[in-house]
Amino acid sequence: MKLANYVYGQWLEGAGDGIALQDPVTGEELVRVSSEGIDTGRALEFARNTGGPALRALGYEQRAALLGAIVEVLSANRAEYFDIALRNSGSTEADAAFDVDGAIFTLKSYVRAGKALGPARHLKEGARVALAKTDAFQGQHFLMPLSGVAVFINAFNFPAWGLWEKAAPALLAGVPVLVKPATPTAWLTQRMVEDVVKAGILPVGALSIVCGSARDLLDHVGECDVVSFTGSADTAARMRTHPNVVARSVRINIEADSINCAILGPDAQPGTPEFDLAVKEIVREMTIKTGQKCTAIRRVFAPAAASRPLADAVAAKLASYRVGNPKSEGVRVGPLVSRAQQAAALEGLAKLREECETVFGGDADFAPVDADPAVSAFVQPTLLYCDKGLDARHVHDVEVFGPVATIVPYADTAEAIALARRGRGSLVASVYSGDAAFLAELVPGIAELHGRVMVVDAAVGTNHTGHGNVMPTCLHGGPGRAGGGEELGGLRALATYHRRCVVQGGPALLEALSRDAADAALLGS
């Protein structure tokens, strides 16, 4: 079966044999995708001219209602999405829930938030500005929805959440969506789009999908479009410097590589709640979705005295996890999504081991449960230890996108800050400490280079939402090597799909424009 593309209001199969999507456990071919012969320029024009105006004719609360209808469709088909995730991504049930239920939860959040904007169709920012000695000539800042398309070029690890966490604020803003999912796991994204389109929820042209190669897509984006990319820093750099993107100053949002960290405070010694909470979260981040999360813990910084006990505690928990075919009873860790990703992870792991010792895993003869190593894409969860600190290179520069983490001891708070900053920009750091003096120095010292800092102490306990969990009401993104982008953050995400302008004129004109506007201050609520 070849997955169809949905463009210019039509379901179209791409030409040629296409690219095969495979089961990462058995190697079985599942479906094929092809974008060959799809006119991407026409697809964008159709979305701009047909889908966009129809969306913007509605108010924010009406668009929020559309998102609510999408939630109902996705919830009704949840079991089928889990089955696709199992077969195409090798997901355990917990992995599938993390992706599919995360998508539904995020959409629900925007349904609720969007209602607060009411029937308005654009946003008013701040008070009027006096521009003359009388009130005859004034200025008013507005945020107007873009008349272009939100183009999503997504990563393979979250085929469900990756679509809807971006689409929810775009559609709520009145901007149509064209998604190009990562090829290895495109099936789930395509199926969700198909279900929503067949349900007739959105105006025609408001949601499009191209499966397979992006081909010449960026040749056709314009100054009113937004390109949102999640993936490697190398690809992001090529996109930023694409001639058409540069020439037309296309707005681009990037989430790229991120070597996130967890930091144990000096008080997080063995036997303390903070130590135990850190152990639990490190193991969870190494194993959920087999470490294939952009927010996963890659480096763990611990006080020198606690670093070896920490390594032992994490290794002991990892030893109890069964790794293998998700269909087999008791399996908690599945494969990577493809043999190509397996090869990339093993190559990165080899680099890390040049400057690290192996505490757990890394067995060349590792045998997954109920799976043939010759055709499957497994990587054994591997915990490393590196005592080189800031002198290490690969530990701070190489992101192994799999179940691999490295423990690095530190001597004092200044070194902990320096180690965290050595990642040159990350999506998230989690800190396990109740030491007020340590936190007062550490958090300001690392916050500049992290999109999110999560602090857990005994009082927070298990109430925290998780190092790797992206909450729709909070910022997702990070500076530097993490891409410099921003997503989510509640209604703040709508700012990406609006353009700020000031209208200068008489009070009657400004009053008329303001009547159809919601207060932009709500974006920060």
Side-chain angles (χ1 to χ4, degrees), residues 118-393:
R121 290 183 292 179
H122 59 264
L123 303 166
K124 180 182 71 171
E125 184 179 63
R128 291 185 196 172
V129 179
L131 299 174
K133 291 182 179 180
T134 70
D135 292 339
F137 189 62
Q138 301 174 324
Q140 176 67 61
H141 289 85
F142 292 97
L143 297 177
M144 297 294 184
L146 296 174
S147 61
V149 182
V151 178
F152 303 149
I153 301 176
N154 283 355
F156 66 80
N157 54 334
F158 284 101
W161 179 83
L163 165 61
W164 296 112
E165 65 97 3
K166 296 180 181 182
L171 293 171
L172 183 57
V175 179
V177 166
L178 186 152
V179 60
K180 207 302 290 182
T183 297
T185 57
W187 190 8
L188 178 52
T189 308
Q190 194 270 356
R191 178 58 184 273
M192 286 182 154
V193 170
E194 180 181 10
D195 289 343
V196 171
V197 170
K198 286 184 175 179
I201 296 169
L202 297 170
V204 176
L207 181 61
S208 306
I209 184 168
V210 173
C211 298
S213 171
R215 297 174 45 249
D216 61 346
L217 183 59
L218 293 184
D219 290 342
H220 304 289
V221 294
E223 51 279 343
C224 293
D225 297 324
V226 176
V227 176
S228 181
F229 170 75
T230 302
S232 74
D234 290 341
T235 303
R238 291 196 297 272
M239 293 177 65
R240 279 195 172 103
T241 56
H242 187 283
N244 185 53
V245 170
V246 174
R248 304 189 71 169
S249 299
V250 177
R251 184 174 290 184
I252 187 165
N253 190 79
I254 299 292
E255 181 197 309
D257 304 346
S258 182
I259 305 183
N260 312 294
C261 65
I263 306 170
L264 278 69
D267 56 322
Q269 297 294 322
T272 65
E274 289 80 6
F275 183 92
D276 294 340
L277 288 163
V279 170
K280 182 178 180 180
E281 197 64 9
I282 292 163
V283 173
R284 181 174 184 271
E285 286 297 302
M286 289 181 68
T287 55
I288 190 76
K289 290 190 72 69
T290 320
Q292 297 169 106
K293 303 204 325 296
C294 52
T295 53
I297 294 171
R298 308 298 180 193
R299 303 174 299 158
V300 182
F301 306 127
S307 60
R308 288 292 182 179
L310 176 66
D312 292 341
V314 172
K317 281 193 173 292
L318 289 174
S320 68
Y321 279 54
R322 298 190 80 200
V323 182
N325 189 333
K327 295 179 182 177
S328 298
E329 185 177 354
V331 165
R332 299 181 68 178
V333 184
L336 300 191
V337 300
S338 68
R339 296 277 286 181
Q341 288 302 318
Q342 178 195 47
L346 292 175
E347 180 182 358
L349 178 56
K351 289 183 179 179
L352 294 184
R353 293 175 78 172
E354 291 176 9
E355 55 193 20
C356 300
E357 65 178 89
T358 301
V359 178
F360 179 87
D363 184 357
D365 298 320
F366 160 67
V369 175
D370 193 24
D372 182 357
V375 298
S376 57
F378 288 90
V379 171
Q380 185 183 25
T382 304
L383 181 68
L384 305 173
Y385 187 93
C386 178
D387 60 6
K388 296 178 174 58
L390 288 169
D391 292 331
R393 182 165 58 92

Side-chain angles (χ1 to χ4, degrees), residues 11-200:
W11 287 104
L12 299 172
E13 282 191 6
D17 293 335
I19 303 168
L21 277 59
Q22 297 176 316
D23 184 323
V25 175
T26 66
E28 172 194 3
E29 180 177 317
L30 302 171
V31 295
R32 286 181 170 264
V33 296
S34 172
S35 61
E36 188 176 341
I38 300 300
D39 188 337
T40 58
R42 180 184 172 191
L44 290 172
E45 278 300 310
F46 186 86
R48 291 186 196 109
N49 297 333
T50 304
L55 280 174
R56 288 188 293 280
L58 306 173
Y60 293 105
E61 63 183 1
Q62 291 174 294
R63 298 175 207 145
L66 297 181
L67 298 182
I70 291 174
V71 167
E72 293 179 5
V73 169
L74 299 186
S75 298
N77 292 286
R78 179 176 178 270
E80 294 178 37
Y81 301 149
F82 272 50
D83 181 62
I84 292 174
L86 168 65
R87 298 171 65 194
N88 188 194
S89 300
S91 297
T92 64
E93 185 171 350
D95 294 340
F98 199 84
D99 188 19
V100 175
D101 291 344
I104 294 171
F105 178 77
T106 298
L107 278 163
K108 286 181 178 179
S109 177
Y110 278 94
V111 172
R112 293 189 296 270
K115 293 177 182 178
L117 298 176
R121 290 183 292 179
H122 59 264
L123 303 166
K124 180 182 71 171
E125 184 179 63
R128 291 185 196 172
V129 179
L131 299 174
K133 291 182 179 180
T134 70
D135 292 339
F137 189 62
Q138 301 174 324
Q140 176 67 61
H141 289 85
F142 292 97
L143 297 177
M144 297 294 184
L146 296 174
S147 61
V149 182
V151 178
F152 303 149
I153 301 176
N154 283 355
F156 66 80
N157 54 334
F158 284 101
W161 179 83
L163 165 61
W164 296 112
E165 65 97 3
K166 296 180 181 182
L171 293 171
L172 183 57
V175 179
V177 166
L178 186 152
V179 60
K180 207 302 290 182
T183 297
T185 57
W187 190 8
L188 178 52
T189 308
Q190 194 270 356
R191 178 58 184 273
M192 286 182 154
V193 170
E194 180 181 10
D195 289 343
V196 171
V197 170
K198 286 184 175 179

Side-chain angles (χ1 to χ4, degrees), residues 404-418:
V404 178
T406 304
I407 293 176
V408 182
Y410 70 83
D412 53 29
T413 306
E415 186 177 15
I417 292 172

